[in-house]
Amino acid sequence: MRATSRLAPMKRHSMPAEPIGEFVPSPRLLLGPGPSLVHPRVLRAMAAPLLGHLDPEFLKLMTEVQLLLRRLFQTGNRFTIALSGTGSAGMEASLVNFVEPGDPVLVGINGVFGARMATIVERCGGKPIRVEAPWGRIVEPETIKEAIGRAGPVKVVALVHAETSTGVEQPLAEIGRFCREQGSLFLVDAVTSLGGLPLEVDRWNIDVCYSGTQKCLSCPPGLAPLTLSDRALAAIKARKTPCQSWYLDLSLVADYWAEAKRTYHHTAPISMLYGLREALRLIDEEGLEARFGRHRTNSEALMAGLGALGLAPFAEEGHRLPSLNAVTLPAHIDDAPVRTELLQRYGIEIGGGLGSLQGKIWRIGLMGESSQKSHVLTLLSALEEIFLRRRWLSRPGTALEAAARAYTGGGGFQT
Ligand SMILES: *Cc1c(COP(=O)(O)O)cnc(C)c1O
């Protein structure tokens, strides 16, 4: 199947001579599916003067970024880097380096990002074996095992840990063990999980894992943390054909990140790496347990407040992400006008549904710096005002009270 070009011929622009003014963005509370809020320390780090990308001081910074990323991914993998490009570059690199023409690849699909992985597998000439689950539910480990039982061994099993389009957290450990027994590589999209919920690359037998900087790491978009096991590196070495992408060819990128080599491949996005180092330092200072606990607590309080407004959780119980809170809109609640009012009147961004879920759900991100009690309470009180004005709510304080109960452990709050 070949997509026909959708590019329309462009009109020529007139060229007005007035100068273009400085860009000053309005303050925004970013509670959507990413980007998340960025700590001032990260912004400050990014404003530092440039070093050359082969300057010994910069090479030291790269080594530190690698060390901090290994801690976060919970891995001893030598190959742990920050790839140039957003989370999608991480996804693309993770597939194009492993999938050769004819390779069978099992892809779990229960939302937008799993579907995107299957598309890339096809573009590599691989054979995607799609294991689908309804949006909002996990891909059952048993279904994956059965599919492999029917199809025979696959080179790669690819799953999305945190499906940002639905708010579902996919269980991974069991499939990791299964992949190891079968000799398949286990590939995991951790874009909306890394830094927001537990992810243990080594213990869960993950061979290829990528993320993005603008979700739970609270850095601007532009880098994709990526880690490869030795088995994954061996698979790259054993390729019969060169990787279809030159820019994302990890065997070439490896020579820039390998401490003994550091040879030029492409210029590293210097300022982005300054920012990532600082974001990772913030995470290290907070501690993973405390950070995951913060994400969980704020998510529980938000969901309690939204529930009191009549917005029910969309994702399957027991598999709800703390970083991306998806709720179903009752028929009387209009999606777009409320989100527009939130943005224009309150400066708050939340996300709508993607694809078939457009107009049906909201996606509220509490990722990294965005996951704060004060932000949860701000959003709930703005929603209360909007709902009161539209007569969807009769009693002010309903959502805030439910959130306060959640924060105080359910008791001791007097009405
Ligand atoms: C956001 C996201 C991506 C893509 O990342 P970009 O930074 O937008 O390129 C991939 N997978 C998941 C699960 C995501 O949430």
Side-chain angles (χ1 to χ4, degrees):
M1 262 191 309
R2 195 152 260 305
T4 50
S5 170
R6 277 178 288 172
L7 289 181
M10 279 202 259
K11 284 214 190 78
R12 284 181 61 80
H13 275 272
S14 61
M15 291 195 274
E18 308 87 68
I20 305 284
E22 185 186 357
F23 179 66
V24 183
S26 300
R28 291 284 191 249
L29 182 51
L30 297 175
L31 302 179
S36 56
L37 294 170
V38 174
H39 195 284
R41 264 173 55 186
V42 172
L43 295 174
R44 219 158 43 226
M46 292 179 71
L50 292 200
L51 291 166
H53 70 109
L54 294 171
D55 187 307
E57 281 185 32
F58 187 69
L59 300 181
K60 177 162 172 277
L61 175 141
M62 287 168 67
T63 305
E64 289 165 349
V65 165
Q66 291 182 283
L67 185 142
L68 290 165
L69 280 177
R70 285 188 196 105
R71 267 184 215 164
L72 190 56
F73 274 121
Q74 309 264 294
T75 184
N77 288 343
R78 272 177 309 145
F79 189 105
T80 303
I81 68 163
L83 194 70
S84 308
T86 64
S88 303
M91 181 188 287
E92 181 122 16
S94 295
L95 291 164
V96 299
N97 281 277
F98 298 99
V99 184
E100 290 187 80
D103 282 343
V105 176
L106 184 142
V107 185
I109 304 180
N110 54 350
V112 166
F113 294 100
R116 198 180 274 183
M117 290 208 280
T119 304
I120 299 176
V121 169
E122 270 176 350
R123 289 192 179 198
C124 299
K127 289 197 206 124
I129 298 162
R130 295 176 165 84
V131 176
E132 311 214 16
W135 288 29
R137 303 193 71 85
I138 62 164
V139 183
E140 293 290 343
E142 276 314 308
T143 320
I144 294 172
K145 291 180 187 173
E146 283 163 20
I148 292 177
R150 278 196 306 276
V154 293
K155 183 165 184 188
V156 179
V157 171
L159 292 178
V160 178
H161 187 203
E163 191 33 274
T164 319
S165 61
T166 63
V168 165
E169 177 181 350
Q170 175 68 35
L172 298 174
E174 185 181 343
I175 293 302
R177 277 192 301 275
F178 182 72
C179 286
R180 197 53 60 101
E181 288 161 19
Q182 298 276 312
S184 305
L185 292 173
F186 189 26
L187 186 160
V188 170
D189 176 316
V191 176
T192 296
S193 59
L194 184 71
L197 49 141
L199 167 71
E200 302 191 42
V201 165
D202 286 358
R203 220 159 61 84
W204 296 349
N205 297 307
I206 301 171
D207 295 297
V208 182
C209 192
Y210 62 88
S211 188
T213 42
Q214 82 275 25
K215 312 254 171 125
C216 300
L217 304 186
S218 271
C219 210
L223 290 172
L226 173 76
T227 187
L228 301 182
S229 70
D230 286 343
R231 294 166 78 240
L233 289 172
I236 291 182
K237 274 221 178 72
R239 282 185 69 108
K240 294 185 229 44
T241 53
C243 176
Q244 72 183 55
S245 167
W246 179 85
Y247 191 72
L248 297 175
D249 182 336
L250 295 177
S251 64
L252 302 178
V253 173
D255 287 347
Y256 178 51
W257 283 88
E259 267 183 73
K261 296 196 180 153
R262 303 289 198 204
T263 48
Y264 168 70
H265 174 251
H266 65 270
T267 310
I270 312 283
S271 310
M272 280 304 309
L273 280 154
Y274 291 176
L276 178 59
R277 179 181 180 278
E278 196 58 25
L280 293 172
R281 257 162 45 79
L282 282 161
I283 294 174
D284 211 45
E285 284 168 23
E286 181 173 16
L288 290 183
E289 280 314 308
R291 188 173 180 90
F292 300 154
R294 169 165 67 82
H295 279 76
R296 234 182 0 257
T297 307
N298 288 322
S299 168
E300 280 165 12
L302 174 71
M303 290 305 265
L306 295 171
L309 293 175
L311 301 161
F314 175 73
E316 181 178 351
E317 179 160 20
H319 300 285
R320 290 179 194 143
L321 285 171
S323 47
L324 193 287
N325 303 271
V327 285
T328 306
L329 300 183
H332 67 278
I333 291 180
D334 309 318
D335 166 36
V338 175
R339 284 191 294 117
T340 303
E341 192 174 349
L342 273 176
L343 190 70
Q344 289 178 351
R345 221 192 252 224
Y346 301 88
I348 302 174
E349 176 178 287
I350 66 167
L354 293 178
S356 58
L357 294 176
Q358 200 183 347
K360 300 198 177 128
I361 65 168
W362 281 340
R363 295 179 302 141
I364 300 169
L366 295 177
M367 305 179 187
E369 288 302 309
S370 293
S371 174
Q372 307 290 351
K373 185 173 182 170
S374 57
H375 302 334
V376 169
L377 299 179
T378 301
L379 172 64
L380 289 175
S381 93
L383 284 175
E384 278 193 5
E385 279 189 26
I386 293 172
F387 280 33
L388 283 164
R389 267 200 300 276
R390 293 168 193 248
R391 304 196 192 289
W392 298 336
L393 181 70
S394 52
R395 197 174 60 85
T398 308
L400 289 171
E401 188 185 310
R405 277 186 203 284
Y407 279 124
T408 51
F413 188 83
Q414 299 296 309
T415 54

